[in-house]
C-alpha cells in the first residue's frame, strides 16, 4: 500500500506551523513560525495578536511547504488541522483554512485534538513504541498523566489542580525578569544557578493520587524574591535553579506514582513544550530506568508546538479506521482527551 500524504496545520497558540507527513513517518517538509517578537513586549501571549499573525502567515506558509516538498495540493491525501483545545481565534483560523483547502481540492478533512497530536508524537519518531504507554503531557496549558491505550483511547490518570507546568515556568520567568518565552529562559538561567539556595515547597509530593499543583510553588518564588533586599541577577539565577529543581521533583514524584498505577505500560513517554527541558528529560529518564521502563522523549522541536504532530495524528487516525470529519467540524477552546475523566476539585478551567 502506498503511504498516504497528510498536510497538517497548527495554530492553537503562538506558533503558526504547516507540515507534510507521510504515513510511513517521512516528514516531507515542515515550517514553524514563532510569534515571540510580537508577544515579547507584553511578556505573554496576547490572543488577538496571535490570531492576526496566524492570518497573515498561514496561507503563504501552506504554499511554501507544498513547494518545499515538491508536491501539489492534488497530491495530498488528507488535510488536517488542530480543532482545539487552544486560543479560539487561532484555532478557528487554522481550521477554516484547512476546510477551504479540503473543499477546494476535494480532500478529506481531519479535525485533530492538539493534545492527541502531542500524545501520539513519540510514535512519529519511534516506530517500535507500542500501546499502552504512560504519557506525561506537560505544556503551557496542560499537565496530565495519561494512559495511552491506543489511537483515540486515552485515560487521564492525573491532572493539575491549578496551574500547568509550562504556565509555572512562564510566570516564574516573568517574576524573575528573565524574558519571554519563559520556559527556555528559566532553563538557561537555572543552568548557572545554585538550586539549593532557596528552600521551596514541592506541592503534592508524596500524596496518594498522582495529581499536580504548581500555583503554590509559583507564589513561593514570589515570596522568596521579595524576601531578598536589592534582588539582582545572581539572585534571579539561583531562584530560577531552585524553582526548576522543585518543579522537576514534583513532575518526577507524580510520574512515579502513575507508573505504579499502570503496571502494563510499555514505556514512559514525555511530550509537550516542557518536555524540551533538559533537566526534566534527565530526571524522567532516571525515573524510568529505576522502574525498568524504556523512556521515550521526542526531540525538542517535536515537543513544542509543530504541525508534523498534527499531520501524524491524522495519519494514525486514518490508519486506525476513524472517519474523516465534515466541513461543519467546530473549533473548540476546550476539548479534553478523556471525556470520562472526573473533574478534579480546584482544577478550575483546566481540562
Ligand atoms: O506544547 P507547547 O509548545 O504549547 C502548548 O500546547 O502549550 O508548550 C509551551 C510551553 C510554554 O509554557 C513554555 O514555557 C514551555 O512549554 N517550555 C519550556 C521549555 N520550552 C518550552 N518549559 C521549560 N523548559 C523549556 N526548555
Ligand atoms: Zn502544545
Amino acid at each position: 500500500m502506498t503511504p498516504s500524504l497528510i498536510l497538517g496545520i497548527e495554530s492553537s497558540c503562538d506558533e503558526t506551523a504547516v507540515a507534510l507527513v507521510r504515513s510511513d513517518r517521512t516528514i516531507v517538509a515542515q515550517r514553524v513560525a514563532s510569534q515571540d517578537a510580537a508577544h515579547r513586549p507584553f511578556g505573554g501571549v496576547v490572543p488577538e495578536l496571535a490570531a492576526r499573525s496566524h492570518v497573515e502567515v498561514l496561507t503563504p506558509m501552506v504554499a511554501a511547504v507544498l513547494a518545499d516538498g515538491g508536491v501539489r495540493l492534488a497530491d495530498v491525501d488528507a488535510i488536517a488541522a488542530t480543532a482545539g483545545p487552544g486560543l479560539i481565534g487561532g484555532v478557528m483560523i487554522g481550521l477554516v483554512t484547512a476546510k477551504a483547502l479540503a473543499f477546494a481540492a476535494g480532500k478529506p478533512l481531519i479535525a485533530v485534538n492538539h493534545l492527541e497530536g502531542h500524545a501520539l508524537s513519540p510514535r512519529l519518531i519511534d516506530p517500535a513504541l507500542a500501546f499502552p504507554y504512560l504519557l506525561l503531557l506537560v505544556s503551557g496549558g496542560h499537565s496530565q498523566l495519561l494512559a495511552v491505550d491506543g489511537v483515540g483511547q486515552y485515560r487521564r490518570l492525573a491532572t493539575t489542580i491549578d496551574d500547568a507546568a509550562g504556565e509555572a515556568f512562564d510566570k516564574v520567568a516573568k517574576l524573575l525578569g528573565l524574558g519571554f518565552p519563559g520556559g527556555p529562559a528559566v532553563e538557561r538561567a537555572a543552568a548557572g544557578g545554585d538550586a539549593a539556595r532557596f528552600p521551596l515547597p514541592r506541592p503534592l509530593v508524596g500524596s496518594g493520587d498522582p495529581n499536580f499543583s504548581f500555583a503554590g510553588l509559583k507564589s513561593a518564588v514570589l515570596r522568596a524574591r521579595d524576601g531578598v533586599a536589592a534582588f539582582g541577577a545572581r539572585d534571579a539565577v539561583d531562584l530560577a535553579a531552585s524553582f526548576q529543581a522543585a518543579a522537576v521533583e514534583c513532575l518526577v514524584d507524580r510520574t512515579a506514582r502513575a507508573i505504579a498505577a499502570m503496571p502494563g505500560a510499555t514505556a514512559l513517554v514525555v511530550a509537550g513544550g516542557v518536555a524540551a527541558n533538559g533537566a526534566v528529560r534527565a530526571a524522567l529518564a532516571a525515573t524510568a530506568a529505576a522502574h525498568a521502563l524504556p523512556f521515550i522523549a521526542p526531540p525538542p522541536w517535536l515537543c513544542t508546538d509543530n504541525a508534523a504532530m498534527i499531520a501524524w495524528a491524522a495519519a494514525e487516525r486514518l490508519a486506525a479506521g476513524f472517519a474523516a470529519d465534515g466541513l461543519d467540524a467546530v473549533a473548540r477552546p476546550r476539548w479534553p482527551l478523556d471525556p470520562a475523566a472526573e473533574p478534579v476539585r480546584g482544577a478550575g478551567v483546566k481540562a
Side-chain angles (χ1 to χ4, degrees), residues 206-229:
S207 82
D209 65 54
N211 285 331
F212 302 96
S213 167
F214 293 102
L217 177 55
K218 173 197 66 194
S219 308
V221 168
L222 174 61
R223 283 193 300 277
R225 183 198 71 180
D226 291 348
V228 176

Side-chain angles (χ1 to χ4, degrees), residues 12-13 15 114 118 138-142 165-167 169-170 181-184 187 244 272-274 276-278 303-305:
S12 66
C13 192
E15 266 91 26
H114 179 84
H118 280 302
V138 270
S139 68
H142 297 85
E167 193 180 352
F169 271 86
D170 293 334
E187 181 174 15
Q244 183 172 274
V274 180
N277 183 289
C303 292
T304 49
D305 287 347

Side-chain angles (χ1 to χ4, degrees), residues 41-344:
F42 304 93
V45 177
V46 182
E48 181 60 25
L49 285 182
R52 286 173 195 220
S53 174
H54 289 306
V55 171
E56 284 165 15
V57 171
L58 186 52
T59 309
M61 188 183 278
V62 169
V65 167
L66 288 169
D68 290 348
V71 300
R72 297 162 306 149
L73 196 54
D75 304 325
V76 168
D77 295 295
I79 295 168
T82 295
L87 299 175
I88 193 64
V91 174
M92 287 172 72
I93 286 153
L95 185 58
V96 86
T97 302
K99 285 179 182 179
L101 292 169
F103 181 69
K107 305 291 181 182
L109 170 78
I110 316 289
V112 174
N113 183 316
H114 179 84
L115 302 176
E116 184 168 44
H118 280 302
L120 298 175
S121 65
R123 283 167 49 87
L124 170 57
I125 41 116
D126 191 340
L129 175 59
F131 302 116
Y133 52 84
L134 174 61
L135 172 73
L136 171 63
L137 175 49
V138 270
S139 68
H142 297 85
S143 293
Q144 300 186 351
L145 282 153
L146 292 150
V148 181
D149 293 329
V151 178
Q153 297 172 48
Y154 311 98
R155 280 179 294 129
R156 199 187 72 192
L157 306 176
T159 188
T160 177
I161 63 167
D162 42 54
D163 292 352
E167 193 180 352
F169 271 86
D170 293 334
K171 287 179 176 169
V172 164
K174 209 167 176 178
L175 288 176
L176 300 182
L178 296 174
F180 177 86
V186 169
E187 181 174 15
R188 274 195 305 277
D194 173 7
R197 179 166 157 210
F198 293 95
L200 296 173
R202 270 72 173 149
L204 293 186
V205 162
S207 82
D209 65 54
N211 285 331
F212 302 96
S213 167
F214 293 102
L217 177 55
K218 173 197 66 194
S219 308
V221 168
L222 174 61
R223 283 193 300 277
R225 183 198 71 180
D226 291 348
V228 176
F231 189 87
R234 182 73 245 162
D235 305 308
V237 160
D238 288 344
L239 192 44
S242 302
F243 161 77
Q244 183 172 274
V248 165
E249 208 176 307
C250 295
L251 291 172
V252 161
D253 177 83
R254 312 291 58 218
T255 301
R257 183 72 58 170
I259 290 174
M262 193 183 165
T266 60
L268 170 63
V269 175
V270 66
V274 180
N277 183 289
V280 170
R281 294 164 85 92
L284 289 170
T287 308
H291 291 85
L293 271 181
F295 174 63
I296 314 286
W301 72 262
L302 189 53
C303 292
T304 49
D305 287 347
N306 64 88
M309 70 180 190
I310 302 305
W312 173 249
E316 290 256 44
R317 290 188 73 80
L318 288 173
F322 285 89
D325 293 276
L327 292 180
D328 57 352
V330 288
R332 303 173 62 169
R334 298 181 62 195
W335 187 0
L337 259 191
D338 176 3
E342 295 275 317
V344 170

